[in-house]
Amino acid sequence: MTQVTAQISVSLDGFYAGPIAAGDVPGWMEGPEAPGFFRVTRWVTDAASWRDRQGFAGGERSADSELIDGYFEAAGAYVMGRRMFDAGEVPWGDVPPFRAPVFVVTHRPREPLVREGGTTFTFVTEGPERAVELARAAVAAKRTGGTDVAVAGGGSMVRTLLGAGLVDRFDLHVVPVLLGDGLRLFDSDLGLAPDEGIELTASEATTSNGVVHLRYRIGGRRTLHLDDRGSGGGTVREETAASTA
Amino acid sequence: MTQVTAQISVSLDGFYAGPIAAGDVPGWMEGPEAPGFFRVTRWVTDAASWRDRQGFAGGERSADSELIDGYFEAAGAYVMGRRMFDAGEVPWGDVPPFRAPVFVVTHRPREPLVREGGTTFTFVTEGPERAVELARAAVAAKRTGGTDVAVAGGGSMVRTLLGAGLVDRFDLHVVPVLLGDGLRLFDSDLGLAPDEGIELTASEATTSNGVVHLRYRIGGRRTLHLDDRGSGGGTVREETAASTA
């Protein structure tokens, strides 16, 4: 059974990168987004499994490295936002780390881009739901070993798919830093009424090098009930008063 | 050694209550803040130790209940925001749950309010830092058994004191629900530059009834360094290419 998974790293105050540059900057690396982004993803770039995939030497063989390896292994196809693709296209080079079909949600039609090592980028102009459908079909066609559809990012795509109820399992990596400002994972209204919430089911959290890894199953939208057991239920004091009256 | 502690419950998307009412509502309980607030604090209102303190019957004797009991026991004095005090003054009644001195930060001078059971409310018009000083002095004077200064809330006061570097230990209770909108714990700029962060040290996270309890020691403000080991460090591929060239 194909599941759709998403995972992303955020600061304790909920940012996955620093703020977008107000004016022109020489390059993304010189802009205000980069320091926050590298801070919250440092546990990833330090991990041996991630470095292997990128073709980089070194890195730590740790619980974090195993977790990341698990994500790569499980992913049979990816869904990705346009902004993340634009940022990654050049640095990923001829052998991108995905080694599986990647469906990029964009408004700009473009021919598929076939890279070495099993990665193909297909540009989907019919919206995120269609990209998930295509990724599911790619997994079903068993073009690769992984059985999940993985949301590669960025934060905006993760939020959109969570809000649309298209994600089954969501992992949030909470990095022990406050950034104060930046790109916020949950910045937009999910379209919930004040008495409505999306209920989740939490697994045990794990901590590695100070990063807390949370894992959730996503439930549906539910009406929030006022819990008045605190004020409406019989109180000890009232009961005592009644019995001594 | 007196430490300043703060703890608060939030949804996974970072809200501690629903949104503030746009217009008049009959009462706070009927307004849009309440459903979100009761959802994220349900684990507290369900706990026996909290109910005992409020004079309410029932509740669960659980790990959550012990955690809450520990907070009450450790608090020798409290610092509280004005909005929380206004909301609580009537419902807390003649015997508020604090049983210790409470220092309320407000712009409106008011005579101290002495309640039964050891709770006194002192109104501090010289700002949050002064309230923390007064609470430290109250703990030092050993008027009660607890040794911590505890930030009682609400969210705005917790954020202010964290940003000012006045909190030593911070516990965040992450409740498994997305609310989409409301009062956000980290809504305001903490006054950090894009290349600056407040570093934290995480303890092991615990999970109880789906609520993840995170505990942090608060470090200082630090400059965030771009981590270019991923792109700048020698790559396996480059090294291989060089050795076979």
Side-chain angles (χ1 to χ4, degrees), chain B residues 17-245:
Chain B
I20 292 182
D24 284 343
V25 288
W28 185 86
M29 283 289 287
E30 287 74 40
E33 274 186 71
F37 174 78
F38 281 110
R39 177 63 192 91
V40 300
T41 57
R42 188 190 301 160
W43 72 278
V44 179
T45 54
D46 279 352
S49 59
W50 183 86
R51 302 183 69 82
D52 285 350
R53 280 268 174 159
Q54 309 284 330
F56 298 148
E60 294 162 19
R61 303 264 163 217
S62 60
D64 285 341
S65 184
E66 283 178 32
L67 181 66
I68 294 162
D69 207 32
Y71 290 136
F72 279 124
E73 292 294 323
Y78 292 87
V79 173
M80 183 183 291
R82 191 269 310 163
R83 202 163 180 270
M84 178 169 172
F85 173 78
D86 283 353
E89 182 176 3
V90 171
W92 290 324
D94 293 332
V95 194
F98 306 103
R99 304 181 193 170
V102 180
F103 296 89
V104 180
V105 181
T106 176
H107 293 288
R108 298 173 301 195
R110 179 172 167 177
E111 288 299 304
L113 184 64
V114 180
R115 296 293 203 193
E116 294 172 38
T119 302
T120 58
F121 295 101
T122 302
F123 301 89
V124 181
T125 55
E126 299 92 351
E129 191 155 357
R130 178 64 180 150
V132 171
E133 275 180 21
L134 291 169
R136 280 186 185 278
V139 170
K142 294 197 186 304
R143 288 191 232 164
T144 63
T147 57
D148 291 350
V149 169
V151 182
S156 173
M157 181 54 54
V158 170
R159 176 172 63 240
T160 298
L161 293 175
L162 279 173
L166 292 171
V167 174
D168 301 303
R169 197 193 74 195
F170 175 52
D171 288 3
L172 189 66
H173 313 291
V174 180
V175 176
V177 67
L178 297 172
L179 294 178
D181 195 11
L183 294 176
R184 198 192 283 280
L185 177 59
F186 292 110
D187 200 15
S188 299
D189 194 338
L190 293 173
L192 294 162
D195 66 345
E196 203 182 22
I198 296 174
E199 293 287 342
L200 315 172
T201 306
S203 306
E204 287 300 310
T206 61
T207 305
S208 177
N209 287 323
V211 178
V212 183
H213 304 287
L214 308 177
R215 172 162 290 186
Y216 295 96
R217 289 268 154 200
I218 313 294
R221 297 186 174 219
R222 300 275 182 279
T223 300
L224 304 173
H225 295 286
L226 284 182
D227 187 334
D228 64 355
R229 279 171 289 180
S231 53
T235 72
V236 170
R237 238 169 256 136
E238 280 170 13
E239 285 162 6
T240 305
S243 67
T244 57

Side-chain angles (χ1 to χ4, degrees), chain A residues 12-15 18-19 29-30 32-36 38-39 42 45-46 50-58 92 95 99 162 170 172 174-181 184 186-208 210-212 214 216 218 224-231 233-239, chain B residues 12-15 18-19 29-30 32-36 38-39 42 45-46 50-58 92 95 99 162 170 172 174-181 184 186-208 210-212 214 216 218 224-231 233-239:
Chain A
L12 185 63
D13 47 355
F15 300 105
M29 282 290 287
E30 288 74 40
E33 274 186 70
F38 281 109
R39 176 63 191 90
R42 188 190 301 159
T45 55
D46 280 351
W50 182 87
R51 302 183 69 83
D52 285 351
R53 280 267 174 161
Q54 308 283 331
F56 298 150
W92 290 324
V95 195
R99 305 180 192 170
L162 279 173
F170 175 52
L172 189 66
V174 180
V175 176
V177 67
L178 297 172
L179 294 178
D181 194 11
R184 199 191 283 281
F186 291 110
D187 198 17
S188 299
D189 193 337
L190 293 173
L192 294 163
D195 66 345
E196 204 182 21
I198 297 174
E199 293 287 343
L200 315 172
T201 305
S203 305
E204 287 300 309
T206 61
T207 306
S208 176
V211 178
V212 183
L214 307 177
Y216 295 96
I218 313 294
L224 303 173
H225 295 285
L226 284 182
D227 188 336
D228 63 355
R229 278 171 288 179
S231 51
T235 73
V236 172
R237 235 168 258 139
E238 279 170 11
E239 286 163 3
Chain B
L12 184 64
D13 47 354
F15 300 105
M29 283 289 287
E30 287 74 40
E33 274 186 71
F38 281 110
R39 177 63 192 91
R42 188 190 301 160
T45 54
D46 279 352
W50 183 86
R51 302 183 69 82
D52 285 350
R53 280 268 174 159
Q54 309 284 330
F56 298 148
W92 290 324
V95 194
R99 304 181 193 170
L162 279 173
F170 175 52
L172 189 66
V174 180
V175 176
V177 67
L178 297 172
L179 294 178
D181 195 11
R184 198 192 283 280
F186 292 110
D187 200 15
S188 299
D189 194 338
L190 293 173
L192 294 162
D195 66 345
E196 203 182 22
I198 296 174
E199 293 287 342
L200 315 172
T201 306
S203 306
E204 287 300 310
T206 61
T207 305
S208 177
V211 178
V212 183
L214 308 177
Y216 295 96
I218 313 294
L224 304 173
H225 295 286
L226 284 182
D227 187 334
D228 64 355
R229 279 171 289 180
S231 53
T235 72
V236 170
R237 238 169 256 136
E238 280 170 13
E239 285 162 6

Side-chain angles (χ1 to χ4, degrees), chain A residues 38-191:
Chain A
F38 281 109
R39 176 63 191 90
V40 300
T41 57
R42 188 190 301 159
W43 72 277
V44 179
T45 55
D46 280 351
S49 59
W50 182 87
R51 302 183 69 83
D52 285 351
R53 280 267 174 161
Q54 308 283 331
F56 298 150
E60 295 161 17
R61 303 266 163 214
S62 60
D64 284 341
S65 184
E66 283 178 32
L67 181 66
I68 293 162
D69 208 32
Y71 289 136
F72 279 124
E73 293 294 324
Y78 292 88
V79 173
M80 184 183 289
R82 193 268 311 162
R83 200 161 182 271
M84 176 168 173
F85 173 78
D86 282 354
E89 183 176 3
V90 171
W92 290 324
D94 292 334
V95 195
F98 306 102
R99 305 180 192 170
V102 180
F103 296 89
V104 181
V105 181
T106 176
H107 293 289
R108 298 174 298 197
R110 179 172 168 178
E111 287 300 303
L113 185 62
V114 179
R115 296 296 202 191
E116 294 172 40
T119 302
T120 57
F121 295 101
T122 303
F123 300 90
V124 181
T125 55
E126 299 90 352
E129 190 154 359
R130 177 65 180 150
V132 171
E133 275 180 20
L134 291 169
R136 280 186 186 278
V139 170
K142 294 197 184 308
R143 289 192 231 164
T144 63
T147 57
D148 291 350
V149 169
V151 182
S156 173
M157 182 53 55
V158 169
R159 175 172 64 240
T160 298
L161 293 175
L162 279 173
L166 291 171
V167 174
D168 301 304
R169 198 193 74 196
F170 175 52
D171 288 4
L172 189 66
H173 313 291
V174 180
V175 176
V177 67
L178 297 172
L179 294 178
D181 194 11
L183 294 176
R184 199 191 283 281
L185 177 60
F186 291 110
D187 198 17
S188 299
D189 193 337
L190 293 173

